[in-house]
Amino acid sequence: MPRRRAVRAAPEPIRATSMWRVDQVFLARKGTRVEVTSSLVNDRGGLRNLSVTAPTDDPREAVRHAARFIAGKGNVSGARQARVRWTREQAVTEQDELIR
């Protein structure tokens, strides 16, 4: 008798009827580029993380590049008062460099 697979619900698409907003933005170095991970929250309590690697090493330009990418995904209402921070790995690396 064939084994049944458990049916998993597909994740809710970004272009859903609910509005999404950017809650937090995390930055991490990937070689000479900056990876930007945006944490999106919708009005029904859903959470989605989108990640993009920007073709620059400037954090400000990387966030701008990611904003254009995220905005193109659909119903993103805004990013007011979103927290932008380096990931823990980056903070430890910068701190180690200061100590040296």
Side-chain angles (χ1 to χ4, degrees):
M1 187 169 180
R3 204 171 167 185
R4 286 185 168 188
R5 283 188 170 182
V7 178
R8 290 192 293 178
E12 186 176 338
I14 290 294
R15 294 189 184 270
T17 57
S18 61
M19 292 301 291
W20 293 84
R21 71 175 172 78
V22 178
D23 184 45
Q24 294 186 61
V25 177
F26 298 98
L27 305 174
R29 294 247 183 236
K30 279 199 131 177
T32 60
R33 298 177 179 202
V34 176
E35 181 183 30
V36 181
T37 303
S38 299
S39 177
L40 302 171
V41 181
N42 70 6
D43 52 0
R44 293 186 289 165
L47 178 66
R48 172 71 55 109
N49 291 328
L50 292 176
S51 194
V52 62
T53 302
T56 180
D57 62 349
D58 181 31
R60 180 174 287 155
E61 287 301 315
V63 171
R64 287 185 181 145
H65 175 80
R68 287 189 296 271
F69 173 77
I70 301 299
K73 286 290 188 178
N75 296 339
V76 178
S77 63
R80 297 199 191 284
Q81 298 178 346
R83 290 177 284 181
V84 178
R85 56 179 121 171
W86 288 100
T87 59
R88 180 170 171 76
E89 297 165 359
Q90 179 65 30
V92 170
T93 303
E94 284 183 3
Q95 201 169 27
D96 290 345
E97 288 180 24
L98 288 174
I99 292 170
R100 288 183 206 150

